[in-house]
Amino acid sequence: VSVDEIGGIPCTTFVRDSVEQTKVSTIVLRSSTGNHLEDLARAVENGVNIYKQTTRDARFLAGGGSAELRMAAHLKELSLRTPGLEQYAIMKFAEALETIPRTLAENAGQDTTSTVSNLYAAHASGSVNHGINIDEPGTADMVERKVLDHLVAKKEAMRLAAEAAITVLRVDTIIMAKQAGGPDPNRGPGR
């Protein structure tokens, strides 16, 4: 046990000299600004959380917008077989899923329309692991490039997205069911 100074701040340091495996580690982060330090802390926390999730469930799937595009394609097919207003809701949810690969392509400086079209074509030809390639224009096999998303995190994100969409639809239904406010024409002044 010693007291060391890190960045002008005294810190108590515990050093274990034995070769025993420990379950506790400390990471010291420093930064020039508070915002940058918060970003670093969030990145470390995300890394630790994904590691914890991986130890519980080690299943991954292709990243780069591949999974979202595949789900969007399946939902578009389902919407064509679904009658009524449900068809419109399913189609809009599929379009919302498309925003992930579109945003990836846009952030990579690519033409979003052609890149997403090429991605749909790759998936239709059986290359279902293809996603947005941010290194070069176009698409690439995300599994080969080791660009993976954790299945549990993806499932949780989809569950939360569906819940948000359902909540918006419920609020719209409530608002549409209520009569508009305003003066009562049957009621005169002072009554």
Side-chain angles (χ1 to χ4, degrees):
V1 177
S2 65
V3 177
D4 299 320
E5 192 170 310
I6 301 174
I9 299 172
C11 297
T12 305
T13 307
F14 297 88
V15 178
R16 180 174 249 179
D17 293 331
S18 67
V19 292
E20 292 178 25
Q21 294 291 330
T22 62
K23 294 185 179 185
V24 177
S25 295
T26 301
I27 299 173
V28 178
L29 300 173
R30 290 186 61 203
S31 177
S32 58
T33 65
N35 287 341
H36 191 245
L37 185 62
E38 289 173 10
D39 291 343
L40 288 172
R42 190 171 25 261
V44 169
E45 185 178 352
N46 289 344
V48 169
N49 287 335
I50 196 70
Y51 179 78
K52 285 188 334 189
Q53 287 297 326
T54 303
T55 60
R56 293 185 184 129
D57 186 346
R59 295 180 292 170
F60 287 85
L61 49 109
S66 175
E68 290 84 359
L69 192 97
R70 193 82 183 131
M71 287 185 277
H74 283 296
L75 285 174
K76 284 182 177 182
E77 289 174 17
L78 175 65
S79 74
L80 297 175
R81 298 188 310 262
T82 306
L85 286 176
E86 288 85 9
Q87 177 185 32
Y88 183 72
I90 294 169
M91 182 62 78
K92 288 301 176 185
F93 196 81
E95 288 175 14
L97 287 173
E98 267 185 22
T99 60
I100 301 297
R102 281 190 187 284
T103 303
L104 288 171
E106 184 178 339
N107 289 345
Q110 300 179 19
D111 176 27
T112 57
T113 305
S114 65
T115 304
V116 171
S117 295
N118 292 341
L119 190 55
Y120 267 115
H123 280 233
S125 69
S127 301
V128 294
N129 290 331
H130 270 240
I132 303 297
N133 185 358
I134 62 169
D135 296 326
E136 304 167 1
T139 67
D141 189 317
M142 295 291 110
V143 174
E144 284 179 8
R145 291 180 161 267
K146 295 182 175 49
V147 177
L148 305 171
D149 288 332
H150 192 243
L151 179 64
V152 173
K154 189 66 67 179
K155 284 169 62 175
E156 189 66 15
M158 289 300 109
R159 184 185 67 77
L160 291 172
E163 278 184 17
I166 290 168
T167 300
V168 167
L169 290 172
R170 283 187 187 141
V171 169
D172 274 357
T173 304
I174 291 169
I175 290 171
M176 288 171 36
K178 283 188 175 183
Q179 290 183 352
D184 186 357
N186 299 327
R187 196 168 171 200
R191 291 190 216 178

